[in-house]
């Protein structure tokens, strides 16, 4: 131990002990500080230590030393010396009984620390320097008074006061995602609520969203959560995991919670299908491709029998069906309604027993889906107006599911038959109506 402490003291006074410098040409300087508002930057040091610099952090990698940080008689550890002027640095070093690399921080007010392994944090502001051994212990000192900083402890120094203040690193929070399986359809995104708590010293929590890959997990983003719950918005289809960590008032965070699985299932619609009124409207033989449903179970309608989720789903013998998905063994389900892509047009022509040219003929068309719900303005239709067998151009006005138009009077003696036919965008008949119109010098005729 005395050998280790003397070596660390030598590290703090490295300028006076050049014999510990492994290579005179190893001096490297960090560029100017990251401008405020930019994302954090990552720097990997020789030996494998990874530094995560918060925006605005100013550091300088000044030299490399060899220190006796392992048990007596073990190999010396290559240690990078980093001068921390201001800001925050998170350090990740693989844990090892005999550290293979380390980072020595030189901070303002003659405060120093050695990160030997695990996750460590160093923060320097105008009048305070803080070190945290989140996972794996450290060494920290004011001047040459070096002491072990055990894992799970935060040590802070204010101004030139050598007396340190200590408190525990925030603990591991509880995490629950009540609706961990949901749909994001038709190009939309999903929003998921997470419930967090259980850490008394937490000033707030931070949710981490990880995309699950075949070999590794990729951090997508972190979201601050105030209080006992937090929202993760704008989730595109994919398989994710969510973790949480507690953050105290000084910005020190603890270890991540156990991960919770999160499935956002998407759907690739076939040509002619659309998502409307909470269901996917399909043609008779249309199939919806499920995205990121691997590993889920599926059932249909009210059946209690579940099978492995298929790659595609469709109507049940041309009729509406309800697709139910769940995680294996779970009772929480998410549902997707599939409906026939049927368009019904109620066509009305008025007035009754008209006479041209005295009467104006008005046409109204109301559009409904297979369930009798009014369709949206986005639903496309094709309308045809004929006087006898001749197509007539009319000017349609649309308001939601209602189309209205006026048929111009024909010339001649008559009588005539006005026909209105409505088709969906794929050419399938949706509705029709006709009306007989009397001409000049003729008695009015009855419609139908």
């Amino acid at each position: 131990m005395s050998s280790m402490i003397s070596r660390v003291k030598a590290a703090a006074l490295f300028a006076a002990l050049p014999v510990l410098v492994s290579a005179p040409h190893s001096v490297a300087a960090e560029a100017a500080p990251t401008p405020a508002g930019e994302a954090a930057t990552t720097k990997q040091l020789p030996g494998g230590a990874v530094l995560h610099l918060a925006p605005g952090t100013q550091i300088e990698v000044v030299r490399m030393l060899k220190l006796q940080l392992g048990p007596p008689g073990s190999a010396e550890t290559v240690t990078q010396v980093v001068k921390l002027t201001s800001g925050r640095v998170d350090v990740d070093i693989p844990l090892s009984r005999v550290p293979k690399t380390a980072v020595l921080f030189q901070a303002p007010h003659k405060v120093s620390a050695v990160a030997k392994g695990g996750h460590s944090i160093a923060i320097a502001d105008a009048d305070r320097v803080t070190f945290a051994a989140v996972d794996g212990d450290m060494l920290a000192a004011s001047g040459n008074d070096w002491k072990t900083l055990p894992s799970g402890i935060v040590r802070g120094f204010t101004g030139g006061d050598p007396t340190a203040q200590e408190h525990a690193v925030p603990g591991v929070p509880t995490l629950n995602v009540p609706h961990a399986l949901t749909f994001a359809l038709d190009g939309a995104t999903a929003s998921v609520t997470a419930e967090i708590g259980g850490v008394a010293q937490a000033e707030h929590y931070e949710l981490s969203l990880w995309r699950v890959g075949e070999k590794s997990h990729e951090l997508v983003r972190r979201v601050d959560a105030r209080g006992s719950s937090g929202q993760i918005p704008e989730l595109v289809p994919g398989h994710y995991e969510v973790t949480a960590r507690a953050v105290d008032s000084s910005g020190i965070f603890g270890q991540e919670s156990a991960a919770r699985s999160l499935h956002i299932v998407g759907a690739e619609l076939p040509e002619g299908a659309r998502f409307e009124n909470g269901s996917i409207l399909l043609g008779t033989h249309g199939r919806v491709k499920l995205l990121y449903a691997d590993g889920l179970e599926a059932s249909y309608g009210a059946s209690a029998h579940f099978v492995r989720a298929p790659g595609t789903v469709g109507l049940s013998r041309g009729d509406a069906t309800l697709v139910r998905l769940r995680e294996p063994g779970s009772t929480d389900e998410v549902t997707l309604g599939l409906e026939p892509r049927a368009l019904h047009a109620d066509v009305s022509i008025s007035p009754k027993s008209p006479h041209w040219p005295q009467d104006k003929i008005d046409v109204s068309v109301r559009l409904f889906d297979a369930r009798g719900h009014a369709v949206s303005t986005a639903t496309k239709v094709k309308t045809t107006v004929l006087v006898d067998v001749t197509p007539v151009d009319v000017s349609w006005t649309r308001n939601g599911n209602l189309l209205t138009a006026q048929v111009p009077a024909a010339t001649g003696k008559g009588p005539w038959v006005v026909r209105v036919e409505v088709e969906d965008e794929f050419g399938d008949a949706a509705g029709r109506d006709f009306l007989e119109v009397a001409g000049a010098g003729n008695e009015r005729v009855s419609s139908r």
Side-chain angles (χ1 to χ4, degrees):
M1 177 62 73
S2 60
S3 173
M4 178 179 67
I5 295 299
S6 63
R7 293 279 186 162
V8 175
K9 288 182 179 180
L13 300 172
F14 66 90
L17 295 172
V19 294
L20 292 178
V21 179
S22 62
H25 62 273
S26 65
V27 177
E30 183 70 21
T34 305
E38 291 190 6
T41 57
T42 299
K43 179 178 180 63
Q44 183 159 349
L45 300 179
V50 179
L51 308 183
H52 305 277
L53 280 65
T57 297
Q58 298 183 65
I59 68 166
E60 184 181 4
V61 183
V62 295
R63 171 174 317 231
M64 184 174 70
L65 306 174
K66 286 187 176 181
L67 304 178
Q68 185 73 49
L69 298 178
S74 62
E76 293 180 324
T77 300
V78 176
T79 304
Q80 304 292 331
V81 181
V82 176
K83 182 178 180 181
L84 173 60
T85 302
S86 64
R88 171 180 175 142
V89 182
D90 287 64
V91 191
D92 287 307
I93 301 173
L95 281 168
S96 176
R97 181 172 177 270
V98 179
K100 294 181 173 55
T101 189
V103 177
L104 168 62
F105 286 104
Q106 294 180 323
H109 311 298
K110 298 181 180 180
V111 175
S112 305
V114 176
K116 301 188 296 177
H119 187 85
S120 308
I121 301 173
I123 302 174
D125 56 28
D127 61 352
R128 184 176 176 84
V129 177
T130 303
F131 300 114
V134 178
D135 180 24
D137 62 7
M138 302 176 70
L139 296 166
S142 176
N144 285 332
D145 185 17
W146 286 91
K147 296 178 182 178
T148 298
L149 179 56
S151 180
I153 298 298
V154 180
R155 183 175 296 165
F157 302 89
T158 302
D161 186 354
T163 304
Q165 303 84 42
E166 293 187 352
H167 63 272
V169 169
V172 180
T174 60
L175 173 64
N176 181 39
V177 182
H179 303 289
L181 177 62
T182 189
F183 277 106
L185 304 177
D186 198 31
T189 59
S191 178
V192 171
T193 299
E195 299 172 348
I196 329 109
V199 180
Q201 66 267 47
E203 190 269 339
H204 69 279
Y205 296 93
E206 194 173 64
L207 296 169
S208 301
L209 181 70
W210 309 84
R211 186 182 299 276
V212 177
E214 292 184 3
K215 297 182 179 179
S216 62
H217 291 8
E218 174 192 358
L219 178 63
V220 178
R221 64 179 181 269
R222 299 190 192 274
V223 179
D224 280 350
R226 307 284 169 170
S228 59
S229 66
Q231 289 280 333
I232 306 177
E234 299 179 352
L235 290 168
V236 298
H239 184 197
Y240 304 93
E241 285 186 347
V242 180
T243 59
R245 59 189 185 187
V247 185
D248 67 16
S249 58
S250 62
I252 301 298
F253 52 78
Q255 296 186 42
E256 300 277 356
S257 68
R260 297 289 181 262
S261 179
L262 174 61
H263 267 96
I264 309 298
V265 180
E268 185 177 295
L269 306 189
E271 184 178 358
R274 63 181 181 273
F275 183 69
E276 194 169 283
N277 293 326
S279 293
I280 293 178
L281 304 184
L282 283 174
T284 303
H285 303 292
R287 304 289 295 181
V288 176
K289 182 179 180 180
L290 297 180
L291 307 176
Y292 298 99
D294 295 346
L296 300 179
E297 295 179 335
S299 187
Y300 303 89
S303 173
H305 179 64
F306 280 82
V307 296
R308 182 178 179 180
T312 65
V313 291
L315 301 173
S316 176
R317 298 182 178 88
D319 295 329
T321 187
L322 183 68
V323 180
R324 296 155 47 216
L325 298 178
R326 72 179 187 184
E327 296 271 6
S330 173
T331 58
D332 294 330
E333 300 178 2
V334 63
T335 61
L336 176 64
L338 304 178
E339 300 278 352
R341 189 196 60 217
L343 180 69
H344 299 290
D346 287 346
V347 182
S348 176
I349 309 174
S350 62
K352 304 299 183 183
S353 303
H355 193 286
W356 270 344
Q358 291 92 329
D359 296 323
K360 296 180 180 179
I361 296 180
D362 295 311
V363 180
S364 66
V365 178
R366 293 188 181 274
L367 303 172
F368 302 92
D369 63 18
R371 293 172 294 173
H373 295 160
V375 301
S376 69
T377 305
T379 303
K380 298 178 181 178
V381 295
K382 178 184 178 181
T383 57
T384 303
V385 178
L386 302 103
V387 175
D388 292 335
V389 294
T390 304
V392 177
D393 289 332
V394 300
S395 178
W396 290 97
T397 299
R398 182 159 181 174
N399 183 11
N401 75 320
L402 174 64
L403 290 85
T404 56
Q406 193 170 88
V407 183
T411 58
K413 294 183 178 181
W416 301 270
V417 177
V418 175
R419 293 180 175 86
V420 179
E421 300 173 350
V422 182
E423 298 176 344
D424 66 14
E425 59 185 305
F426 308 101
D428 295 331
R432 64 177 61 201
D433 197 6
F434 72 93
L435 182 68
E436 294 181 358
V437 184
N442 296 321
E443 296 295 331
R444 292 179 182 268
V445 296
S446 297
S447 64
R448 295 186 298 281

